[in-house]
Amino acid sequence: MAEIKLVAEARTQFGKGAARRIRREDKIPAVLYGHGTQPVHITLPGHESMLALRHSNALFAIELEGESHLAIAKDVQRDPIRGFIEHIDLLAVQQGEKVAVDVTVNVVGESAPGTIHLVEAQTLSVEAEATHLPESVDVDITGLEAGATVTAGEVKLPEGATLVVEPEHIVVTIAEPRGEAAEAEGETEGTVEETATAAE
């Protein structure tokens, strides 16, 4: 996706009180770091940043004092109760540089009738070019029977992306619903008992 431009301001006040004042002004405290440089403490526009972070692995163009810095969000701290963004850690990146990120797993297709799918990994760790980071990967479960699994190595990755996790890492498991499995087990036990009684 295209770069998302955010106009930042240098931050000189620190501490919880300063952070609260910044958030009251609809801004978000943040830090920009990477490439061996000293971390730069900044504030970002609150509403625009919140909208931008809805895109997984979005690429930001941080405009600061006449310079533009490419960056991705490496950590977003939110208030555990109210959910607002408290702080953002931004990693500076460059054209052509590869970085490791987590991408969302999307399950597509329908497994065999009478089965359900269990997502064992909500995200998958991949390495890709910083300016072409994928937002998600699709895992196709069409027609898979109970007992089948889809591993990380079987997931089709976007062009230019490579796995960071082990290929054997299980992403999705296909199973029978627990109620149906228990019912089937009960029917099997009943059949065995009936057969034994008839034999007597």
Side-chain angles (χ1 to χ4, degrees):
M1 63 179 296
E3 303 164 9
I4 300 176
K5 181 179 177 180
L6 293 176
V7 179
E9 298 174 0
R11 180 158 56 103
T12 56
Q13 295 182 330
F14 305 95
K16 291 184 178 179
R20 282 194 293 268
R21 286 193 296 274
I22 289 170
R23 287 192 286 268
R24 279 199 298 268
E25 295 172 359
D26 191 28
K27 297 177 183 178
I28 301 172
V31 61
L32 176 67
Y33 66 95
H35 296 294
T37 60
Q38 288 293 323
V40 180
H41 297 275
I42 59 176
T43 61
L44 296 172
H47 184 66
E48 291 91 332
S49 299
M50 182 186 67
L51 293 178
L53 288 169
R54 291 181 180 177
H55 300 279
S56 178
N57 298 325
L59 179 65
F60 300 108
I62 306 297
E63 303 290 332
L64 177 64
E65 297 178 344
E67 295 184 2
S68 182
H69 306 267
L70 292 179
I72 59 173
K74 289 299 287 183
D75 185 52
V76 179
Q77 298 171 23
R78 297 179 184 273
D79 181 272
I81 299 174
R82 288 175 286 180
F84 63 80
I85 299 173
E86 294 185 322
H87 191 274
I88 304 173
D89 286 357
L90 294 165
L91 174 66
V93 297
Q94 296 175 344
Q95 294 277 355
E97 177 184 6
K98 286 202 168 186
V99 294
V101 293
D102 291 335
V103 295
T104 303
V105 169
N106 289 331
V107 176
V108 297
E110 296 287 340
S111 55
T115 65
I116 59 173
H117 70 270
L118 306 172
V119 180
E120 308 288 354
Q122 299 289 340
T123 62
L124 201 59
S125 295
V126 303
E127 187 177 67
E129 189 178 338
T131 53
H132 294 88
L133 294 176
E135 289 192 49
S136 62
V137 292
D138 291 337
V139 177
D140 191 353
I141 62 168
T142 302
L144 294 183
E145 301 283 349
T149 60
V150 180
T151 63
E154 296 171 315
V155 177
K156 184 178 180 181
L157 299 179
E159 185 177 353
T162 56
L163 272 180
V164 173
V165 297
E166 293 295 326
E168 298 80 14
H169 183 68
I170 295 177
V171 181
V172 178
T173 299
I174 308 301
E176 292 182 352
R178 286 189 176 182
E180 292 183 14
E183 186 178 332
E185 186 178 334
E187 290 177 358
T188 302
E189 291 175 355
T191 303
V192 172
E193 290 175 2
E194 288 169 8
T195 302
T197 304
E200 292 174 0

